[in-house]
Amino acid sequence: MLPWLFRAWLLFVVIVLLAGGGLAYETWQDVCREYSTNLRVLAAAVADGTHLFLKGTQSSLAMLGQDTGTGADGTPLAIHEKLQDYLVLNPDFNSVGVRAAGDGVVTAGTDKGLLRTLLSRPASPDARSRITDQQQQLIQRCRHVSGLCVGPPLPVRNPGHPQHPHWVVPLFLGAQGTPYRHSVVTNMVALLPLQYGQFPFWRNLPLPALSSVFLLRRDGFLESRYPPPTQSTFGAPQNGIAAQSIRAHPQARSASFYGLATAVNQWRLGAWNQVQGYPLVAGVGLPRSFLLAAWWNRMTGPFAAMLALLLLSTFGYWTFRRIGEARQRERSAHDLMLWEAKERAEVTLHSIGDGVITTDTQGRVTDVNPVAESMLGS
């Protein structure tokens, strides 16, 4: 056996495995850094798009408020027609309503009941049963904001699936001071339905496969997410890795994160970016499975080379081991033959009747048989 050969082979295997582990770790870090950079760019694009959408909505609602407040005919019927015209020109919204001084409410669209709830004071008992205290606090805050305020997502009954309501995001525009015949329009609300959990304009974003896009309030409420959350709802504050990252960086405009997204119970890499002018952040995320697939694609070649080295080293080790074992067996057989020949010579030497003395090349006696011993008197 050759113990040094085994130790050399084992050392080579350890070196290859350590080198492969280091390469795998560095490749994983490179994948995460690369996709983190890409996600930051996408998050910034989503944030900019959201900012433009909200600014456009603010401008259109302000124009609607001026139109309804200064028109020649300010009857509820005429205002209702103007609200319907607004919905035709802005198909992303399904309902819109205004409230004037004196609590006069005019609405148009499919969710008029929810609009009356949002524009009337106090809210009806049925509305209070469907809107949580936290949501109600956000709604009350939006009623006193002078500009556009994005309210929390609210559930709307789905006749076909009562257990799976539709969600709409109310956009408030208040304190415009716009004359409305002999009164003043004090609040306007437009309801933006979430389509599969997403804002309508997100459909045109160049998002990677398996990615998610979300809009999260600074206070933790999820405004929008595509795909929709499976482990939580839009009506409850979030406590996943994105919300934790936002709370950990209160002054930051953007950041990356990696961890467990509780909305879908998946480990995700993502990035978020502040939406200018609003207490909102827009983010994009990728599941860990996507990152592992990208990492594996890059590691296929190195892993194949490592496997080839390990197989070649193992083959070489066993080949040299077999050669060494064969030589060891040959030496053992040769030593056995020499020993047997020596034993036979000694038996012959001691059995003959003549005295025999054997010496080495220096003349030193190495052996005598019994007859020689008796002749020498020893």
Side-chain angles (χ1 to χ4, degrees):
M1 299 295 290
L2 299 174
W4 65 268
L5 181 62
F6 174 77
R7 289 194 293 268
W9 171 76
L10 186 60
L11 177 62
F12 178 80
V13 170
V14 170
I15 291 174
V16 171
L17 292 178
L18 288 177
L23 179 61
Y25 176 78
E26 287 299 325
T27 303
W28 173 256
Q29 294 298 316
D30 289 341
V31 168
C32 290
R33 282 192 293 267
E34 177 182 332
Y35 280 98
S36 178
T37 301
N38 295 339
L39 290 174
R40 278 179 175 264
V41 175
L42 286 174
V46 175
D48 290 342
T50 303
H51 170 74
L52 293 175
F53 173 79
L54 295 177
K55 292 297 291 184
T57 299
Q58 181 175 352
S59 298
S60 65
L61 287 177
M63 294 176 62
L64 176 63
Q66 293 175 359
D67 189 25
T68 57
T70 60
D73 186 1
T75 64
L77 179 59
I79 295 177
H80 177 74
E81 292 177 352
K82 292 177 181 179
L83 297 182
Q84 287 184 318
D85 292 340
Y86 178 84
L87 293 179
V88 172
L89 296 174
N90 298 272
D92 289 338
F93 300 100
N94 69 357
S95 305
V96 63
V98 299
R99 183 172 68 84
D103 289 336
V105 175
V106 182
T107 61
T110 58
D111 294 327
K112 299 178 181 178
L114 179 58
L115 281 175
R116 293 192 184 95
T117 297
L118 298 175
L119 291 169
S120 301
R121 301 175 183 173
S124 66
D126 179 65
R128 288 196 297 268
S129 66
R130 291 186 291 122
I131 300 177
T132 65
D133 292 339
Q134 292 172 309
Q135 291 172 323
Q136 189 63 40
Q137 291 175 3
L138 295 175
I139 292 171
Q140 291 292 345
R141 190 182 307 164
C142 281
R143 285 172 174 169
H144 297 89
V145 173
S146 61
L148 185 73
C149 180
V150 182
L154 300 174
V156 178
R157 287 191 177 93
N158 184 355
H161 302 278
Q163 302 301 323
H164 299 86
H166 296 303
W167 291 87
V168 296
V169 175
L171 302 179
F172 292 80
L173 188 65
Q176 293 300 307
T178 303
Y180 164 32
R181 270 183 88 86
H182 303 296
S183 61
V184 173
V185 174
T186 58
N187 284 103
M188 306 181 66
V189 179
L191 298 183
L192 178 67
L194 297 179
Q195 302 177 4
Y196 300 102
Q198 66 179 330
F199 276 21
F201 70 91
W202 286 359
R203 294 191 301 267
N204 300 322
L205 293 174
L207 298 174
L210 303 179
S211 64
S212 62
V213 58
F214 61 86
L215 189 66
L216 195 64
R217 299 175 63 93
R218 284 280 186 179
D219 54 24
F221 271 94
L222 186 63
E223 287 288 349
S224 178
R225 188 186 192 280
Y226 178 80
T230 58
Q231 304 299 316
S232 62
T233 68
F234 291 108
Q238 304 297 308
N239 194 36
I241 185 61
Q244 295 175 24
S245 175
I246 293 170
R247 287 194 293 267
H249 303 85
Q251 305 301 324
R253 290 187 53 83
S254 64
S256 300
F257 60 85
Y258 177 72
L260 181 64
T262 56
V264 289
N265 196 31
Q266 285 183 347
W267 282 77
R268 304 182 77 85
L269 173 71
W272 56 264
N273 194 282
Q274 174 73 37
V275 178
Q276 183 182 355
Y278 300 91
L280 304 169
V281 296
V284 184
L286 285 172
R288 183 169 57 181
S289 59
F290 181 92
L291 301 175
L292 288 173
W295 171 81
W296 176 250
N297 287 337
R298 299 187 185 186
M299 287 300 299
T300 301
F303 274 154
M306 287 171 51
L307 182 60
L309 283 175
L310 292 176
L311 290 176
L312 286 174
S313 66
T314 303
F315 176 77
Y317 165 72
W318 285 106
T319 299
F320 284 110
R321 179 175 175 176
R322 285 195 299 269
I323 293 174
E325 289 177 347
R327 291 180 177 178
Q328 184 68 28
R329 288 193 296 270
E330 291 177 357
R331 280 195 297 269
S332 298
H334 180 69
D335 292 343
L336 179 61
M337 291 175 60
L338 290 177
W339 181 81
E340 290 176 349
K342 180 179 178 182
E343 287 296 315
R344 287 195 295 270
E346 289 184 353
V347 170
T348 302
L349 179 64
H350 287 76
S351 62
I352 61 178
D354 297 327
V356 178
I357 300 174
T358 59
T359 63
D360 58 16
T361 57
Q362 304 295 325
R364 291 188 294 267
V365 176
T366 59
D367 196 10
V368 293
N369 65 351
V371 176
E373 288 181 356
S374 62
M375 293 176 63
L376 296 173
S378 56

